[in-house]
């Protein structure tokens, strides 16, 4: 059974950094897409960053240049390195994963619709 568990959220001041981790247990697939999406109160879910099994990445315009997605396949762990955080980055961040899938740039906008997801980790950025 696949389980995704996020960690690393917290409270930081604007301009600060956080690194989120997502541990994927039961994950045995070699062709996959994984990513992070977020949801702030009263707002729709937003795909933030995505990566595929070949290492291709995609980012939302709102975070490009500030966030970096990476993976450690041996540890089955996904990361989201967040720099230059802004108050508008405040949200619950979720890890998502799918077996196979479309090009990573397409998966970025679709990850909330199917596949696996974790329980989320809260990120709060104060001004």
């Amino acid at each position: 059974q696949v389980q995704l568990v996020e960690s690393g959220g917290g409270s930081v001041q604007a301009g600060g950094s956080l690194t989120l981790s997502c541990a994927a247990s039961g994950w045995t697939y070699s062709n996959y897409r994984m990513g992070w999406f977020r949801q702030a109160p009263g707002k729709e879910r937003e795909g933030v960053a995505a990566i595929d099994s070949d290492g291709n990445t995609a980012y939302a315009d709102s975070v490009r240049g500030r966030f970096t997605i990476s993976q450690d396949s041996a540890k089955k762990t996904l990361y989201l390195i967040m720099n230059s955080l802004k108050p508008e980055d405040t949200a619950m961040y979720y890890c998502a994963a799918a077996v196979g899938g479309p090009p990573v740039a397409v998966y970025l906008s679709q990850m909330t619709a199917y596949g696996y997801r974790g329980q989320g980790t809260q990120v709060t950025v104060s001004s």
Side-chain angles (χ1 to χ4, degrees), residues 6-126:
E6 303 95 336
S7 61
S11 298
V12 296
Q13 290 191 328
S17 299
L18 281 174
T19 296
L20 306 183
S21 300
C22 172
S25 61
W27 190 260
T28 60
Y29 308 101
S30 58
N31 180 15
Y32 58 82
R33 314 292 180 261
M34 299 187 79
W36 295 90
F37 67 92
R38 65 187 180 186
Q39 187 166 27
K43 294 188 177 181
E44 294 188 355
R45 293 172 177 174
E46 175 190 22
V48 172
I51 190 167
D52 66 15
S53 44
D54 291 327
N56 299 302
T57 59
Y59 296 92
D61 290 343
S62 58
V63 306
R64 187 176 292 111
R66 300 187 297 122
F67 290 10
T68 302
I69 189 170
S70 65
Q71 60 187 340
D72 185 328
S73 299
K75 294 183 179 179
K76 297 183 180 180
T77 301
L78 184 72
Y79 302 98
L80 185 67
I81 303 166
M82 306 185 294
N83 295 320
S84 302
L85 283 162
K86 304 176 181 180
E88 51 263 44
D89 294 319
T90 295
M92 186 71 79
Y93 283 71
Y94 299 86
C95 174
V99 179
V104 67
V106 177
Y107 177 69
L108 180 66
S109 62
Q110 296 182 349
M111 69 172 75
T112 62
Y114 64 94
Y116 303 93
R117 68 188 64 174
Q119 294 300 307
T121 185
Q122 177 68 37
V123 172
T124 302
V125 185
S126 58

